[in-house]
Amino acid sequence: MPSNQYYIKMDTKIEDQINIDALYDKGYEYQMDEEWAEAAKCYKEAAEHGHVKAMEALGELYIGGWIEENHEKGLMWLNKAADLGDADACFALGDYYFHGYGKKPNKRLAKKWWQKAIDRGHEGAARFYLKYC
């Protein structure tokens, strides 16, 4: 069984985990081809089965407005991924709060999330933290 870095369901069969990884990979291929709706479908299914990177990717699609601009859904998925230890999700949350995206920026929350990203090994978060906090 792979490490629990990308999964929240540890009782899943290895074949199911491989299929979840394949869904995420297919979503990534669609994203690279700018087929946003198809990417979102794959990411959503993988995320619903516990794939943490799919949660982060889906959150980014919602925040960025690539499928529909829905900050509430985007924040929900990013927070799920961040709560499960994903450094990229922590970094994205820091970016979201720093810029505000339609709301007043919140430097305190940006700093909190960038620090969590740093603590989880995100290489770029330290540059943002030092520059903006």
Side-chain angles (χ1 to χ4, degrees):
M1 187 175 293
S3 76
N4 66 356
Q5 181 178 3
Y6 298 114
Y7 300 96
I8 57 175
K9 288 186 175 182
M10 294 309 296
D11 60 343
T12 308
K13 293 179 185 175
I14 191 73
E15 296 85 14
D16 294 337
Q17 291 176 353
I18 291 168
N19 290 335
I20 294 167
D21 283 340
L23 272 172
Y24 171 78
D25 292 343
K26 190 65 177 171
Y28 184 79
E29 289 175 25
Y30 281 129
Q31 185 175 349
M32 292 299 100
D33 291 338
E34 299 183 4
E35 295 182 44
W36 310 114
E38 293 301 316
K41 286 179 192 175
C42 294
Y43 286 153
K44 188 169 191 284
E45 188 170 345
E48 288 172 346
H49 285 88
H51 197 285
V52 178
K53 295 307 293 179
M55 294 174 192
E56 184 267 329
L58 186 58
E60 295 270 13
L61 289 179
Y62 279 119
I63 296 289
W66 297 107
I67 47 178
E68 68 174 276
E69 191 166 349
N70 188 322
H71 292 194
E72 187 176 312
K73 285 182 183 178
L75 289 172
M76 180 202 67
W77 285 112
L78 288 175
N79 274 292
K80 281 185 178 198
D83 289 346
L84 293 167
D86 186 74
D88 291 328
C90 293
F91 180 77
L93 285 165
D95 185 65
Y96 177 84
Y97 288 113
F98 180 79
H99 293 286
Y101 294 105
K103 298 179 181 180
K104 184 178 178 184
N106 187 327
K107 191 173 178 180
R108 182 185 61 77
L109 282 176
K111 182 178 180 178
K112 169 192 161 185
W113 284 109
W114 283 339
Q115 182 62 59
K116 285 186 178 196
I118 292 166
D119 294 345
R120 294 173 179 165
H122 193 284
E123 294 178 17
R127 287 191 303 274
F128 281 77
Y129 188 91
L130 291 172
K131 185 173 181 177
Y132 300 114
C133 298

